[in-house]
Amino acid sequence: MARLCFTLVILALALLVSQGESQTCTSQTFENKNVYANCTDLPHLNAYLHWTYNSTDSTLAIAFIAPPPNPEGWVSWSINPESPTMISSQALLAFKNNDNITINTYNVSSYNPAEWGTKLLYDVWDLSAEESNGNIIIFAKWKFPEKIEKVNHVWQVGPGIVEGLPLKHAMNPENKDSKGILQLVGI
Ligand SMILES: *[C@@H]1O[C@H](CO)[C@@H](O)[C@H](O)[C@H]1NC(C)=O
Ligand SMILES: *[C@@H]1O[C@H](CO)[C@@H](O)[C@H](O)[C@H]1NC(C)=O
Ligand SMILES: *[C@@H]1O[C@H](CO)[C@@H](O)[C@H](O)[C@H]1NC(C)=O
Ligand SMILES: *[C@@H]1O[C@H](CO)[C@@H](O)[C@H](O)[C@H]1NC(C)=O
């Protein structure tokens, strides 16, 4: 018994180490064949970000991958010009709608989705989505102010949509910690 436990601990440690060393996102591919220069295994909610930043025209192309907590759930990725928090974030939010994926844009001005505008501070185009192994993937291009070097990003998943509006997400630590700074150009 002691030996079995020991073996299991070693296996678990080996798994942790291998996860720490290799990025999962590098092996991810898309049906639409989009390819990005950079990818990041995000630290929470089993999410991934693929991105290419063109500093000449300050355009960011992204693919964001996350599993909704249930089949009716939503996933979102946003840029916050103020700080890495929910309020003020400029969000892309996707969910399955029959067989299609709908992507909405939200200016997250409060904790009440009914108050949110759909016009974003930034131009966003080429919005599309895919579904893969229980994940929803959002594709988009963003235009940022000139010479921007990093942005605050916030990502999230939630349980569903009611009357067209996203239900609030869980408040587990991984939901609260799903935010960071995306360094667009090398430091
Ligand atoms: C993104 O990828 C490019 C090309 O491989 C590399 O030069 C650059 O340093 C990467 N940027 C970051 C922030 O990792
Ligand atoms: C970056 O944007 C500039 C201006 O639009 C364009 O000429 C250039 O080809 C782009 N670079 C890449 C790598 O796509
Ligand atoms: C899905 O989208 C396609 C193309 O926009 C449309 O033709 C089709 O009716 C939609 N299907 C559903 C189930 O909404
Ligand atoms: C987003 O909402 C805030 C607060 O209501 C408002 O001040 C701002 O103008 C809105 N942004 C856009 C792009 O509409």
Side-chain angles (χ1 to χ4, degrees):
M1 186 60 194
R3 180 173 292 251
L4 178 62
C5 286
F6 182 72
T7 307
L8 285 176
V9 166
I10 296 291
L11 276 176
L13 282 176
L15 198 64
L16 278 176
V17 168
S18 69
Q19 278 176 345
E21 278 174 355
S22 62
Q23 276 182 304
T24 303
C25 65
T26 53
S27 63
Q28 292 169 339
T29 57
F30 307 110
E31 274 171 40
N32 64 12
K33 311 272 191 238
N34 280 6
V35 175
Y36 298 86
N38 309 78
C39 79
T40 309
D41 293 355
L42 296 173
H44 304 290
L45 301 174
N46 299 312
Y48 304 90
L49 186 71
H50 296 248
W51 49 281
T52 302
Y53 184 61
N54 184 333
S55 55
T56 308
D57 60 4
S58 51
T59 298
L60 178 70
I62 61 118
F64 170 73
I65 308 178
N70 50 56
E72 304 78 42
W74 53 263
V75 308
S76 81
W77 187 79
S78 61
I79 295 290
N80 192 322
E82 315 275 343
S83 59
T85 53
M86 170 175 159
I87 300 298
S88 301
S89 66
Q90 307 292 301
L92 310 177
L93 186 144
F95 56 93
K96 262 186 91 177
N97 188 4
N98 297 321
D99 281 339
N100 288 337
I101 297 170
T102 299
I103 307 175
N104 290 335
T105 58
Y106 290 116
N107 175 19
V108 179
S109 50
S110 72
Y111 290 107
N112 178 2
E115 296 173 351
W116 300 347
T118 54
K119 187 180 174 340
L120 301 187
L121 179 63
Y122 307 110
D123 278 345
V124 173
W125 70 101
D126 282 359
L127 280 175
S128 67
E130 288 178 9
E131 201 191 353
S132 165
N133 296 325
N135 291 299
I136 291 178
I137 308 169
I138 302 176
F139 301 96
K141 289 184 181 150
W142 297 70
K143 176 80 172 181
F144 292 135
E146 277 176 39
K147 301 203 164 67
I148 202 163
E149 293 191 347
K150 57 188 176 180
V151 288
N152 305 304
H153 68 143
V154 182
W155 63 100
Q156 198 51 262
V157 302
I161 302 287
V162 169
E163 292 174 0
L165 297 173
L167 290 173
K168 76 176 184 189
H169 60 79
M171 290 299 277
N172 300 321
E174 61 167 0
N175 299 91
K176 293 186 185 170
D177 292 343
S178 293
K179 57 196 178 186
I181 292 172
L182 184 64
Q183 188 75 37
L184 298 170
V185 294
I187 34 175

